[in-house]
Amino acid sequence: MIYVTGDTHGEFGGRFNVKNFPEQKELTKEDYVIICGDFGGIWDVGEEGKGEKYWLDWFAERSYTLLFVDGNHENFDRLYAYPEKAWRGGRVHEIRPSVLHLMRGQVFEICGKKIFTFGGASSHDISGGILEKDDPYFKRKKRRLERDWLPYRINHISWWKEELPNQEEMDEGLKNLEKYDFAVDYIITHCAATDTQELLKPQNGTDIMTEYLQKIKNMVHYEKWFFGHYHTDRMINEKEQVLSKIIERIY
Ligand SMILES: [Fe+2]
């Protein structure tokens, strides 16, 4: 079985407990729960903190295998430092043996389904800008932004440029899709394609991620596309579904 859910942002207690997700009683490690980005379970600066380690170990002990694509709120310095391995036709970072990060531009074969994955998105909660910790005016700038109630983030502490894809990742995605004749069963991303984002959040505009996903959307035959990022649960049309808090069985 395959389940999908939206952004978790490091909050796992409620959503995944047996009361809210009773189906897990029937699952095994050959069943999968996929988080559509903004996992947030790898966030601490430097190394796994106590709380973070607790939840990663907790997921490793669940009945199912936990998978996630990355969102825009992940600690990419640390996420990309976990060992990389080949898994079910694609590449993953192994966080725990049954907690895996599905890398960008991969096609995985899970439960007989072909799944294209591509994490990442632009952060939009940064109208105050990105601060640099070693800026001599760091404290002064931070105080001013806080006084003016302007959301800001700090490079390598709460924001990483890797939230958006590089050319290599985008090229790899197209190359891997080509191997499957541009036909997959499911697409799982954090961000939506430009035309879908325009429906959901026109104020976000477009960027390299939405434009790439638009290209994918126009080019690839797929049955269903699941994504997070917009903090709402709804069907966009018969193929696209945005997820937030619900855990939905898709296969
Ligand atoms: Fe997000």
Side-chain angles (χ1 to χ4, degrees):
M1 290 179 235
I2 305 173
Y3 288 82
V4 288
T5 188
D7 308 20
T8 43
H9 292 281
E11 299 285 331
F12 306 116
R15 192 178 318 182
F16 295 97
N17 68 27
V18 178
K19 190 168 154 260
N20 292 326
F21 183 35
E23 297 90 337
Q24 65 185 288
K25 290 186 214 157
E26 311 298 320
L27 304 183
T28 72
K29 287 292 183 189
E30 295 300 303
D31 299 301
Y32 303 89
V33 177
I34 310 177
I35 296 170
C36 297
D38 282 357
F39 170 58
I42 297 158
W43 184 253
D44 297 342
V45 173
E47 56 183 34
E48 280 179 15
K50 220 168 146 192
E52 195 174 278
K53 191 175 172 339
Y54 171 87
W55 285 110
L56 294 173
D57 290 340
W58 185 83
F59 275 122
E61 288 159 13
R62 293 312 92 191
S63 54
Y64 51 87
T65 293
L66 184 81
L67 307 172
F68 65 97
V69 298
D70 51 280
N72 47 311
H73 297 321
E74 318 286 1
N75 182 333
F76 285 101
D77 292 332
R78 287 196 37 234
L79 179 60
Y80 289 173
Y82 283 91
E84 195 186 305
K85 70 170 197 179
W87 183 80
R88 305 285 167 97
R91 293 188 298 132
V92 297
H93 286 111
E94 187 182 74
I95 314 301
R96 296 289 187 274
S98 60
V99 179
L100 306 173
H101 167 232
L102 306 173
M103 291 173 68
R104 295 174 181 175
Q106 310 298 307
V107 178
F108 297 95
E109 295 198 41
I110 303 171
C111 302
K113 295 286 179 189
K114 297 178 197 70
I115 305 180
F116 177 70
T117 58
F118 209 108
S122 281
S123 290
H124 292 280
D125 49 357
I126 52 169
S127 55
I130 306 296
L131 299 184
E132 295 290 338
K133 198 82 218 293
D134 56 6
D135 180 345
Y137 299 107
F138 174 77
K139 277 195 179 143
R140 193 189 295 178
K141 286 182 178 171
K142 187 167 173 279
R143 262 201 310 272
R144 193 175 301 158
L145 290 168
E146 277 161 5
R147 188 196 64 200
D148 296 341
W149 295 89
L150 282 173
Y152 66 90
R153 285 181 176 264
I154 305 168
N155 199 12
H156 293 290
I157 290 177
S158 55
W159 183 86
W160 290 260
K161 69 172 185 328
E162 290 82 1
E163 66 176 24
L164 285 175
N166 60 37
Q167 195 58 48
E168 206 182 312
E169 290 168 328
M170 293 190 289
D171 291 346
E172 188 183 350
L174 291 174
K175 225 172 68 196
N176 285 332
L177 282 166
E178 198 181 359
K179 289 182 205 156
Y180 290 88
D181 292 324
F182 297 98
V184 292
D185 296 294
Y186 305 134
I187 295 179
I188 295 187
T189 60
H190 184 57
C191 190
T194 298
D195 60 1
T196 303
Q197 177 159 287
E198 263 162 22
L199 284 175
L200 278 166
K201 263 205 169 172
Q203 65 271 33
N204 282 8
T206 68
D207 56 55
I208 188 176
M209 183 77 264
T210 67
E211 291 291 78
Y212 177 73
L213 294 176
Q214 187 67 53
K215 188 170 167 182
I216 297 289
K217 186 172 173 176
N218 299 343
M219 208 173 181
V220 176
H221 294 275
Y222 63 93
E223 194 187 315
K224 287 270 166 63
W225 185 327
F226 302 96
F227 57 98
H229 192 44
Y230 303 90
H231 297 193
T232 177
D233 282 293
R234 66 186 235 220
M235 293 292 300
I236 307 296
N237 51 47
E238 55 184 22
K239 290 170 89 170
E240 288 173 281
Q241 184 172 355
V242 54
L243 292 149
S244 176
K245 293 194 180 329
I246 61 161
I247 305 182
E248 181 153 315
R249 184 172 172 194
I250 62 168
Y251 177 75

